[in-house]
Amino acid sequence: MADLMENEVLRAFATYAAIVIVKMMLMGPITAYFRVTRGAFAHEEDVARKSAEEKKKLLRTDPEVERVRRCHLNDLENIVPFVVVGLLYALTRPELSTALLHFRIFAGTRIVHTIAYILVLPHFCRGLPYILGMLVTLSMVYRVLSTALIL
Amino acid sequence: MADLMENEVLRAFATYAAIVIVKMMLMGPITAYFRVTRGAFAHEEDVARKSAEEKKKLLRTDPEVERVRRCHLNDLENIVPFVVVGLLYALTRPELSTALLHFRIFAGTRIVHTIAYILVLPHFCRGLPYILGMLVTLSMVYRVLSTALIL
Amino acid sequence: MADLMENEVLRAFATYAAIVIVKMMLMGPITAYFRVTRGAFAHEEDVARKSAEEKKKLLRTDPEVERVRRCHLNDLENIVPFVVVGLLYALTRPELSTALLHFRIFAGTRIVHTIAYILVLPHFCRGLPYILGMLVTLSMVYRVLSTALIL
C-alpha cells in the first residue's frame, strides 16, 4: 500500500477524520465532568468511598449527563458513516478542492452541533448542522457508488 | 494508494459498505419520525414553542421510539465491525465471487433485521439475521487473521 | 491497492483491529446471556411464548444487563476511534516495533477494561485502562496529523 503522504486527498481526509474523531473522543471526559459536577454516577464501584446514604443520592441519572451521552451517541451515529464513506470517497480520486469542501463542512457541522447540544441552544442550531452533515456524507456516498458500483 | 477503481473486490466492498451505512443513517430520520408522530421528545429545546402543559406531556420516553433507537444502536454494534473487517478482508485479495457472497448476505441480513425490528415481527425474524450477519463478519475475520497475523 | 500482505505494519494493524473488533462483538452474546439468566428483556416479541403474568415480570431493565450494555457502548466509543486512527496511522509508515507497541497496549487495555467492568472490580481497574487506551489513540492521532496535515 502506497505511502499516505503521496496522496493529497487522502492526507486531507486523514486530517479531518482525526479532527472529528478527537472531537468525538472528547465527549468521554465531558461526560465524566458532568457526572462529577452534577453528582450522578452509574456504577456502585464509582462511589465506593462514599457513605451508604451518599451512595443512594449519587447513583442516579441526571438530565444533563444524559444530554451529553445522547450527544456522544449522535456523534457515533454520524461520524462513523463520515469516516467510512470518507475513506472510500478519498480513494475515488476526487479533486482536492472538492474533497476539502466536503471535509471542512462536515467537521464544522459536528463542532457546531456539539456546542448547540451541550449549551442547550434553540433546536435549529443542532438540527441544521445535523442535516447538513448528513447531506455531506450522502454526497460522498453518491460519488462512491457512481464510481465503484459492483452489486 | 492505488485507485479504488482498479480493484474489483474493493469496489464491491465500497458498494456494500455504502449500502449498509446509508441504511444505518436512515435510522436517524426514522427516529425523528417516531418522535414526532408519537409525541415523545428528549430535549426541552425540541418543544420550545409548546405551552408549559404540552411540554410536560411531550418530554417523555415512548416504547416505540426506544425500539427504533435500540435498532439504531444494534446497527452500530454490527455494521461497524462489518465495515472495519470488510475493508481489511478486501485487502487480502479474496476471490470476487466469495467476497460478493459475504457482502450480499451481510447487507441482506441487516435489511431484514431492521424490518423485523421496526415491524415487531416474531423474535427469530430479528434473531436469525443478527446471528447470520455476525457469522459473515467472523468468516471475514478468520480470513484476515489467517492472512495477516502479526502479533 | 497493494496487497495487504506486503506491508507488515498494516498486517499488524489488521491483526489487532480484528482482535478488538471480535472482543467488541462478544458483548452482544454476553448481553443476551445476561438477559436470559437475569430474566430481563426489552421487547414484547422476545417473551412471546410466556404467559401474560410472566411477560410483565420479564419486560424490565436489570442493573447487570444495563452494565453490560454500557460496557458495549464504551467499546464503540473507544474502539471505533482506535480502528479509524490506527488505519491512518499504519499508512504513515511508522516503525513496526513502535506500531506494535501502540496496538498491543490498546488491545490489552480494552480486554482489562471489559473484565473490570463486568466483574465489578474497583473503579481504577476500569478507569486506568480507559485512559491509557485513549492516550494510545491520541499518540497515533499526533503521528497522523504531523505526517498528513492538510487543512
Side-chain angles (χ1 to χ4, degrees):
Chain A
M1 181 174 290
D3 200 312
L4 177 58
M5 304 298 291
E6 283 161 29
N7 183 327
E8 287 200 314
V9 174
L10 200 59
R11 284 174 57 191
F13 169 71
T15 304
Y16 284 94
I19 288 171
V20 293
I21 288 283
V22 168
K23 194 229 76 56
M24 185 169 84
M25 290 172 72
L26 268 177
M27 301 312 290
I30 292 175
T31 304
Y33 170 81
F34 272 77
R35 282 201 184 283
V36 170
T37 55
R38 270 61 176 174
F41 296 88
H43 307 99
E44 185 83 16
E45 69 270 27
D46 303 350
V47 292
R49 289 191 216 162
K50 309 284 181 178
S51 69
E53 202 183 327
E54 274 184 305
K55 274 186 195 176
K56 251 192 205 164
K57 260 177 35 191
L58 291 172
L59 288 176
R60 62 181 187 93
T61 58
D62 175 90
E64 286 183 278
V65 172
E66 295 309 305
R67 173 181 287 275
V68 179
R69 293 184 68 213
R70 273 195 300 270
C71 183
H72 199 166
L73 188 56
N74 193 289
D75 267 356
L76 270 171
E77 292 167 359
N78 289 281
I79 288 176
V80 167
F82 170 78
V83 291
V84 173
V85 174
L87 175 65
L88 299 171
Y89 170 78
L91 298 180
T92 65
R93 298 203 166 161
E95 288 290 322
L96 178 61
S97 58
T98 317
L100 275 172
L101 190 68
H102 283 82
F103 302 158
R104 283 172 184 156
I105 294 176
F106 184 85
T109 65
R110 295 314 300 182
I111 291 166
V112 172
H113 179 272
T114 303
I115 293 170
Y117 217 133
I118 293 182
L119 299 187
V120 198
L121 301 186
H123 178 72
F124 73 91
C125 302
R126 196 184 92 216
L128 283 187
Y130 169 74
I131 291 169
L132 190 53
M134 205 173 251
L135 292 177
V136 169
T137 304
L138 289 177
S139 163
M140 298 193 300
V141 165
Y142 176 76
R143 163 96 188 180
V144 168
L145 286 182
S146 60
T147 315
L149 193 71
I150 293 188
L151 273 171
Chain B
M1 184 174 290
D3 200 311
L4 176 58
M5 305 297 292
E6 284 160 28
N7 182 328
E8 288 199 315
V9 174
L10 200 60
R11 284 174 57 191
F13 169 72
T15 304
Y16 284 93
I19 289 170
V20 292
I21 288 284
V22 168
K23 194 228 76 58
M24 185 168 85
M25 289 172 71
L26 269 177
M27 301 311 290
I30 292 175
T31 304
Y33 170 81
F34 272 77
R35 282 201 184 283
V36 169
T37 56
R38 270 61 175 173
F41 296 88
H43 306 99
E44 185 83 16
E45 70 270 26
D46 304 349
V47 291
R49 290 190 215 160
K50 309 284 180 177
S51 68
E53 202 184 326
E54 275 184 303
K55 274 186 196 175
K56 248 193 210 166
K57 259 176 38 191
L58 290 172
L59 288 176
R60 63 183 186 90
T61 58
D62 176 88
E64 287 183 277
V65 172
E66 295 310 305
R67 173 181 287 275
V68 179
R69 293 183 68 213
R70 273 195 299 270
C71 183
H72 199 168
L73 188 56
N74 193 289
D75 268 355
L76 271 172
E77 293 167 359
N78 289 280
I79 288 176
V80 167
F82 170 78
V83 291
V84 173
V85 174
L87 176 64
L88 299 171
Y89 169 79
L91 298 180
T92 65
R93 298 202 167 161
E95 288 290 321
L96 178 61
S97 57
T98 317
L100 276 172
L101 190 69
H102 283 82
F103 301 158
R104 283 172 185 156
I105 293 176
F106 184 86
T109 64
R110 295 314 298 181
I111 291 166
V112 172
H113 179 272
T114 302
I115 294 169
Y117 216 134
I118 294 182
L119 299 186
V120 198
L121 301 186
H123 178 71
F124 73 91
C125 303
R126 197 184 90 219
L128 283 188
Y130 170 74
I131 291 169
L132 190 54
M134 203 172 252
L135 291 178
V136 168
T137 303
L138 289 177
S139 163
M140 297 193 301
V141 164
Y142 176 76
R143 163 97 188 178
V144 168
L145 286 182
S146 59
T147 314
L149 192 72
I150 293 188
L151 273 171
Chain C
M1 183 173 292
D3 200 313
L4 178 57
M5 303 299 292
E6 283 160 28
N7 183 327
E8 287 200 314
V9 174
L10 201 59
R11 285 174 59 190
F13 169 72
T15 303
Y16 284 94
I19 289 170
V20 291
I21 289 282
V22 168
K23 194 227 76 55
M24 185 168 84
M25 290 172 72
L26 269 177
M27 301 313 289
I30 292 175
T31 304
Y33 170 80
F34 272 77
R35 282 201 184 284
V36 170
T37 55
R38 270 62 177 173
F41 296 87
H43 307 98
E44 185 83 17
E45 70 270 26
D46 303 350
V47 291
R49 289 190 215 160
K50 309 285 181 177
S51 69
E53 203 184 325
E54 275 184 305
K55 274 186 196 175
K56 249 192 207 165
K57 261 177 35 192
L58 290 172
L59 288 175
R60 62 181 188 92
T61 57
D62 176 88
E64 286 183 278
V65 171
E66 295 310 305
R67 172 182 287 275
V68 178
R69 293 184 68 215
R70 273 195 299 271
C71 182
H72 198 167
L73 188 56
N74 194 289
D75 268 354
L76 271 171
E77 292 168 358
N78 289 281
I79 288 176
V80 167
F82 170 78
V83 291
V84 173
V85 174
L87 175 65
L88 298 171
Y89 170 78
L91 298 179
T92 65
R93 298 202 166 161
E95 288 290 322
L96 178 61
S97 57
T98 317
L100 276 172
L101 190 69
H102 283 82
F103 301 158
R104 284 171 184 157
I105 293 176
F106 185 85
T109 64
R110 295 314 299 180
I111 291 166
V112 172
H113 179 272
T114 302
I115 294 169
Y117 217 133
I118 294 183
L119 299 187
V120 198
L121 301 186
H123 178 72
F124 73 91
C125 302
R126 195 184 93 218
L128 283 188
Y130 169 74
I131 290 169
L132 190 54
M134 204 172 250
L135 291 178
V136 169
T137 304
L138 289 177
S139 163
M140 297 194 300
V141 164
Y142 176 76
R143 164 95 188 181
V144 168
L145 285 182
S146 59
T147 314
L149 193 72
I150 295 188
L151 273 170

